[in-house]
Amino acid sequence: VTLTATTEFGCNETITRPAYIIVNRSPVAGITSSVDSICVNNSITFAGVILQPDTLALAWKWDFANGQTSISQNPPPQLYNQAGTFNVLLYVTNSVGCVDTVVHPVYIQPLPMTEAGINPDICLGQSIQLNATGAVTYQWSPAINLSCTNCANPVANPSVTTKYYVTGFTTFGCSLRDSVTVNVIQPSQVVAPKNDSLCIGERVQLIATGTEVYTWTPADGLSNPNIANPMASPTTTTTYTVTGSDIKGCFVTTDTVRISVFPYPSVQTSRDTTIQVGFFTQLHSTFSSDVQSILWSPNVGLSCTTCPNPVASPTVNTTYTITVKNRGGCSATDAVTIFVVCNDNNLFMPNTFSPNGDGMNDVLYPRGRGINVIRSLRIFNRWGQIVFEKKNFNANDPSAGWDGTFKGVKLSPDVYVYMMDLSCENNSIITRKGDITLIR
């Protein structure tokens, strides 16, 4: 290296010295790719290559223009989800800082705007034309019941609801799939409820099934004639017709239901009455001619519960209710109360007896009906001495009576006094006293 220095007057001097300068070459790199043009949502594989041999260590840095980077010579495949032209950049730097920059454009092709159309409804046996848009060519599947599979507008006539898929293609070959469902409305049959009955003034719910749209006629007595389950309250026997169809009106059917309307029957029974316990009375009833069944309740003390005029023999105050029904199940009731009393008329106590062994009237004992138990019977002589006493025995029982003796000795004829407590079948208590004449 030679240096010459010159003054303003032209004087100069030259000096020469030896120098050693090392000049390094920059790396020469390139990019290879699996493809240079691809459809959206697909991947490209890139690799870095050295076009001229280089002995220095190299560093790699990628920018794929899709938001991703890498420092590997052979990076992983890169996905592109937008259409357009993208410049892939590769920076290769050797160990002394020399850099080579490589640009590789890739072309991402757009997908078609494939549209299969809205989902249609058809009646069984009908057909419909499908309309695909947004692409250049099309492919339909499944092929069943389609007039063509590689056209934009095939005619479909499926027998059941079917989902068809159409794949649209661009001129580059990019594809996008869409679908359309052809809903096939099948035949339906409206079913009315079973025939029913009601009493006048009542109502019943009619429930039709089997389809989607319902209309009832006549509308009289219906809460809403245009629903499946209106409330019906006709005043006379009426046959209702229900017309049913699917929502599109493809198939229309009818069915009927008869609602029989019955009047309420009438019934009248006996007036309230009073009887003595142990006795009976006959109940009477009159009713309208449409009555088909009779029932008395409660059944205690009745000769029958399903006859119009039962015999009643209650032991306590009882209210009997008669319920009558006609063919429509309509019912009417009436009631009668039987008051049950227990008094002296339930008991008979002889005022004379003759214990002479002739087999007639030899024993003095209480008799009667409706008596539950004789709680006590005491007999006194004229001086107030108890000559007979018996407790807790039944009426009408000669074995429990007095035979006219006292301590095994026959008493002389005289007038005796008795006192008696008894319990009736209706649980009332009666106390009775009187005179008895003993005759021999």
Side-chain angles (χ1 to χ4, degrees), residues 90-169:
L90 173 61
Y91 304 94
V92 182
T93 305
N94 61 21
S95 56
V96 296
C98 299
V99 181
D100 186 20
T101 301
V102 184
V103 179
H104 185 85
V106 292
Y107 306 97
I108 308 303
Q109 303 295 332
L111 301 180
M113 302 295 291
T114 307
E115 292 283 348
I118 61 174
N119 298 328
D121 296 321
I122 63 171
C123 305
L124 179 65
Q126 293 180 342
S127 61
I128 190 169
Q129 187 174 47
L130 306 181
N131 297 287
T133 59
V136 177
T137 59
Y138 302 91
Q139 185 65 45
W140 291 86
S141 67
I144 185 171
N145 296 316
L146 288 181
S147 60
C148 61
T149 58
N150 57 358
C151 58
N153 310 110
V155 174
N157 60 342
S159 57
V160 295
T161 296
T162 303
K163 189 173 187 177
Y164 290 102
Y165 296 90
V166 59
T167 302
F169 298 89

Side-chain angles (χ1 to χ4, degrees), residues 41 47 107 127 150 158 187 210 247 257 273 299 301-302 308 336 388 397 404 414 425 434 436:
N41 295 328
Y107 306 97
S127 61
N150 57 358
I247 197 69
V257 55
T273 187
N299 60 4
L302 290 182
V336 55
F388 178 81
D397 183 4
D414 203 345
E425 290 181 356
I436 304 167

Side-chain angles (χ1 to χ4, degrees), residues 46 100 198 247 313-314 323 348:
F46 299 98
D100 186 20
L198 51 79
I247 197 69
S313 54
T323 301
F348 170 69

Side-chain angles (χ1 to χ4, degrees), residues 31-43:
I31 298 175
T32 63
S33 61
S34 56
V35 292
D36 291 332
S37 183
I38 200 169
C39 299
V40 168
N41 295 328
N42 283 280
S43 298

Side-chain angles (χ1 to χ4, degrees), residues 5-13:
T6 304
T7 70
E8 62 179 332
F9 302 105
C11 300
N12 60 61
E13 186 180 2

Side-chain angles (χ1 to χ4, degrees), residues 166-186:
V166 59
T167 302
F169 298 89
T170 64
T171 54
F172 184 78
C174 298
S175 64
L176 181 67
R177 191 171 77 161
D178 195 17
S179 65
V180 60
T181 299
V182 179
N183 180 39
V184 181
I185 299 174
Q186 302 294 326

Side-chain angles (χ1 to χ4, degrees), residues 287-324:
F287 39 80
S288 54
S289 60
D290 60 336
V291 168
Q292 290 193 332
S293 68
I294 300 171
L295 181 65
W296 291 88
S297 65
N299 60 4
V300 178
L302 290 182
S303 61
C304 65
T305 58
T306 58
C307 56
N309 305 310
V311 174
S313 54
T315 59
V316 295
N317 295 345
T318 304
T319 297
Y320 291 105
T321 300
I322 181 174
T323 301
V324 297

